[in-house]
């Protein structure tokens, strides 16, 4: 969410309070009240979040970093090079394929802000190579236009935002070309944090300008012709820019697979409230009220209800249509540049209900953002939601789904290293198409990065499990669910009831077991909204008020039997032929999967054993072992972490003759770290000298 990305702070509590503000009509364009709240939470909430409760022995943990030049596994062979080799991206039967019919799943990252414009060319190339090795095949270019980033795509503190800065565009050219060479595709946002100036020619500018003389136009863009015109001008110039390194415009480059019209910008749940009569924006309010009255009278709705943005009901129908009108004017302008890829209008984000989805269907892909909290592995779904259920409700039947932002919303959550594994597993099980963590880096990549939530490039808590997660998701080590449930409501319930994981125990309890999709309702006032037609034999209708988990259950399991979350013991397990993983809390017990015996003696850790040959572990001649655990930064601005050692043993059933080595070929392992006994490779984790990536493979 933008509140956290602008280098202010973030906590789960802040997000909850912001959502309350939205519902209660108190927020108005980052007003004084919100700024006071941010300052308070930065002082008093964030320190609580950043002191992970890892126990008094944390000072005894060894100091270990994850510098960008450190050896990693090499999954770059999963990428076809260059990106665009198979033609342009398309949608087919609700999934993504290339022109030649090659299916694709994207495992990606955000690259944002200072990383875009403050990284030198040699570092750009090195990081593109590193991302490919980590299994990444999609990068979202984000915060390119945000006013707090200097320089940004408009230059350094420009007097207007009407022109593209040549030097900044050269940096973007270099990133896109380097990523393309490594088989990494690109997602471009067209509007994120742009603040308009007085010189941009915006009607009614003074009534929306903030104290510093800049205007955040989110919400206002849906009713202001001049804001809309400036946005269309920008997207035309941006997509028509010719990359000096590829010779192609951004629009015509098949490596650029998707664009987003406007980031985290909706009327239905967030910014519609800024147009109300009590918000001191008379010109914009007059336009808004006239549009609401016209829509109500044209569709036999109650004019006194239709403008009440904070309420569910008729207002959600009107606001959906208002968003749709704007999107249907911007999308043709995008296509006029020659861009043939995916278009996301904006995202389902920040606690939105399913009534925020209809206008998103005007695009070619539905997008969602969701941030979690520490400890979710132990959440009882009958009682509370985790962050992935909020993604699940965005899966509109018949359309592909991207998640251009996911992460844990507090730092450093002690169990954050588990999150990539859970995201990859559920994404494969649900059939999601493109997953992008926020983010790879928000800082310059010329040197070490300081620890924070938005720059994972050197965070061992996330990096060490990213290759395992990429491999599992991209190679389909977890099958799609056997059963599918559909949220199918009539228009009165769809728009009139606040349906979300917060309000529905069914959504929370069915999500990890089976696939979940949302239907669009036949809506008299929205003739453009295509009602979902289900094949009834393939779906079960979800009863929103029913728990799909037994009353005394402490484990929720996938209907394929391939993974489970033991929330009673805060543990996650994947057990398939190609990926066998345990993660979470341990109490010196033995945990078995079909080919691996895990005896983990560290209180909290994650260990993934995976085949790299496309066959099952028991027959594989090359196996990747990924190990991670708790880590906390040594200092706020230092790149080093204190890392808890992971101890215990692994017994892996695999062919005889395999040798154990570290991913760091310069780090020799002691002979007592590995032996073969009774058809199993036995690995002593206490003897691997802190290595976090291991190979079992034929001697070279």
């Amino acid at each position: 969410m933008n509140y956290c990305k602008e280098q202010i702070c973030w906590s789960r509590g802040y997000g909850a309070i912001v959502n309350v503000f939205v519902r209660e009509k108190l927020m108005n364009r980052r007003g004084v009240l919100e700024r006071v709240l941010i300052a308070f939470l930065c002082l008093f909430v964030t320190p609580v979040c950043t002191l992970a409760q890892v126990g008094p022995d944390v000072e005894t943990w060894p100091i270990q970093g994850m510098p960008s030049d450190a050896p990693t596994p090499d999954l770059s062979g999963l990428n076809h090079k260059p990106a665009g080799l198979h033609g342009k991206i398309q949608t087919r039967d609700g999934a993504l394929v290339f022109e030649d019919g090659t299916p694709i799943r994207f495992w990606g990252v955000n690259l944002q802000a200072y990383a875009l414009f403050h990284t030198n060319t040699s570092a750009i190339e090195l990081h593109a190579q590193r991302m490919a090795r980590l299994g990444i095949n999609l990068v979202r270019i984000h915060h390119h236009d945000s006013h707090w980033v200097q320089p940004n795509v408009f230059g350094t503190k420009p007097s207007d935002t009407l022109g593209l800065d040549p030097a900044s565009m050269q940096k973007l050219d270099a990133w896109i070309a380097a990523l393309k060479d490594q088989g990494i595709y690109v997602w471009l946002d067209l509007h994120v944090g742009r603040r308009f100036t007085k010189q941009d020619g915006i009607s009614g500018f003074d009534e929306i300008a903030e104290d510093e003389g800049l205007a955040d136009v989110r919400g206002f863009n849906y009713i202001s012709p001049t804001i809309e015109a400036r946005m269309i001008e920008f997207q035309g110039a941006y997509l028509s820019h010719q990359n000096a390194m590829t010779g192609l415009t951004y629009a015509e480059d098949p490596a650029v697979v998707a664009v987003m019209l406007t980031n985290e910008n909706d009327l239905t749940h967030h910014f519609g409230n800024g147009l109300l009569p009590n918000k001191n924006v008379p010109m914009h309010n007059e336009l808004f009220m006239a549009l609401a009255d016209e829509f109500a009278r044209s569709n036999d709705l109650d004019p006194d209800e239709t403008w009440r943005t904070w309420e569910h009901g008729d207002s959600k129908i009107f606001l959906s249509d208002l968003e749709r009108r704007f999107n249907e004017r911007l999308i043709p302008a995008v296509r006029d540049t020659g861009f043939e890829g995916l278009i996301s209008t904006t995202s389902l984000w920040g606690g939105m209900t399913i009534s925020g989805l209809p206008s998103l269907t005007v695009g070619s892909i539905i997008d969602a953002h969701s941030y979690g909290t520490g400890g979710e592995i132990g959440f009882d779904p009958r009682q509370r939601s985790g962050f992935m259920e909020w993604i699940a409700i965005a899966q509109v039947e018949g359309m592909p789904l991207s998640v251009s932002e996911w992460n844990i919303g507090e730092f450093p959550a002690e169990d954050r290293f588990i999150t990539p594994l859970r995201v990859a597993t559920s994404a494969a099980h649900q059939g999601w198409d493109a997953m992008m963590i926020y983010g790879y880096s928000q800082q310059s990549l010329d040197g070490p990065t300081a620890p924070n939530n938005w720059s994972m490039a050197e965070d061992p808590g996330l990096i060490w499990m990213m290759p395992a997660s990429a491999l599992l998701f991209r190679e389909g080590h977890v099958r799609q669910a056997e059963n599918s449930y559909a949220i199918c409501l009539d228009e009165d319930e769809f728009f009139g009831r606040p349906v979300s994981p917060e309000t529905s125990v069914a959504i929370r309890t069915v999500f990890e077991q089976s696939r979940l999709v949302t239907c669009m309702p036949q809506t008299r006032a929205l003739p453009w909204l295509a009602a979902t037609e289900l094949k009834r034999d393939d779906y079960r209708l979800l009863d929103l008020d029913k728990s799909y988990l037994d009353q005394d259950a402490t484990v929720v399991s996938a209907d394929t039997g391939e993974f489970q979350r033991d929330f009673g013991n805060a543990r996650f397990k994947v057990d398939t032929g190609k990926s066998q993983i345990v993660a979470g809390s341990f109490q010196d017990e033995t945990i078995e999967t079909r080919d691996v015996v895990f005896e983990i003696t560290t209180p909290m850790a994650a260990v993934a054993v995976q085949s790299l040959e496309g066959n099952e572990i028991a027959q594989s001649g090359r196996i990747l072992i990924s190990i991670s655990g708790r880590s906390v930064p040594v200092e706020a601005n230092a790149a080093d972490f204190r890392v808890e050692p992971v101890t215990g043993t692994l017994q892996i059933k695999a062919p005889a003759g395999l040798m154990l080595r570290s991913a760091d070929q310069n780090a020799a392992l002691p002979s007592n770290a590995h032996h073969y006994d009774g058809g199993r490779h036995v690995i002593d984790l206490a003897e691997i000298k802190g290595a976090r990536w291991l190979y079992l493979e034929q001697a070279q």
Side-chain angles (χ1 to χ4, degrees), residues 53-133:
Q53 298 176 2
V54 293
D57 63 338
V58 64
E59 294 297 328
T60 69
W61 295 355
I63 294 176
Q64 186 174 358
M66 187 58 216
S68 298
D69 59 356
T72 70
D74 187 358
L75 299 183
S76 61
L78 298 180
N79 292 2
H80 52 261
K81 301 176 184 179
L85 182 66
H86 293 285
K88 295 192 174 181
I89 196 74
Q90 298 178 346
T91 63
R92 186 178 300 169
D93 299 326
L96 299 180
V97 298
F98 290 111
E99 277 182 281
D100 65 1
T102 302
I104 186 68
R105 281 180 173 175
F106 290 113
W107 183 255
V109 296
N110 280 255
L111 186 71
Q112 66 274 13
Y114 307 102
L116 298 173
F117 305 111
H118 289 258
T119 304
N120 66 46
T121 302
S122 60
I124 287 172
E125 293 174 353
L126 288 173
H127 279 275
Q129 295 168 13
R130 183 178 189 245
M131 289 184 211
R133 291 198 306 272

Side-chain angles (χ1 to χ4, degrees), residues 33-75:
L33 183 59
E34 186 188 355
R35 295 180 191 204
V36 171
L37 175 65
I38 290 171
F40 174 83
L41 287 165
C42 284
L43 287 172
F44 298 107
V45 176
T46 304
V48 175
C49 297
T50 58
L51 295 176
Q53 298 176 2
V54 293
D57 63 338
V58 64
E59 294 297 328
T60 69
W61 295 355
I63 294 176
Q64 186 174 358
M66 187 58 216
S68 298
D69 59 356
T72 70
D74 187 358
L75 299 183

